[in-house]
Amino acid sequence: MIHAADVREWRDRDVVDAQSHKIGVLEAVYVDTTTDEPAMATVRTGLPTRHRLVFVPLADAIAGPDYLRVGYAKALVREAPSIGTDDVLPAEREEAIFKHYGLAYQPGAAGERQLARR
């Protein structure tokens, strides 16, 4: 299990899929606002002059010495909703990320965001 205290150590690690195919480099971790546990990560992908950040769930992720292995195939992650490297995730786009991976999305009782960047 991945713990929130480890989040600072993950930045700039390679993110790989279950077959060890490199997806990109870990940019940031988003926590579930109801549990404060890591829920999603952004992975920097693309060409050096045209990076973008794609979202990937961390539910089954395994942290290795120099990588973070996620439970989703490289092709699926690369097609996930993305943002620019200097952008922020608009609240209305959160649900699309969850749906892309077949996950249930449930905002807080007051309609607040489910994800917060850490």
Side-chain angles (χ1 to χ4, degrees):
M1 172 181 232
I2 293 178
H3 301 285
D6 301 329
V7 169
R8 287 188 195 104
E9 298 174 19
W10 302 346
R11 190 175 170 125
D12 295 326
R13 283 189 185 180
D14 287 344
V15 177
V16 299
D17 68 7
Q19 288 73 39
S20 297
H21 297 122
K22 183 177 176 182
I23 298 169
V25 176
L26 185 80
E27 178 72 21
V29 174
Y30 288 73
V31 298
D32 184 322
T33 57
T34 58
T35 64
D36 209 32
E37 290 296 319
M40 293 269 180
T42 50
V43 180
R44 190 171 56 243
T45 64
L47 302 171
T49 58
R50 295 179 53 174
H51 284 135
R52 65 188 182 107
L53 302 176
V54 293
F55 289 84
V56 63
L58 294 174
D60 296 321
I62 298 169
D66 58 352
Y67 63 86
L68 186 67
R69 185 181 315 275
V70 294
Y72 295 91
K74 177 179 179 176
L76 181 65
V77 176
R78 291 248 171 143
E79 294 172 357
S82 65
I83 59 175
T85 55
D86 294 327
D87 295 341
V88 295
L89 175 64
E92 61 273 5
R93 292 194 53 211
E94 283 186 2
E95 186 172 7
I97 296 166
F98 284 79
K99 283 187 176 185
H100 177 78
Y101 291 102
L103 302 172
Y105 175 76
Q106 188 169 5
E112 72 270 6
R113 300 182 73 129
Q114 183 169 341
L115 300 173
R117 185 176 170 159
R118 290 284 190 259

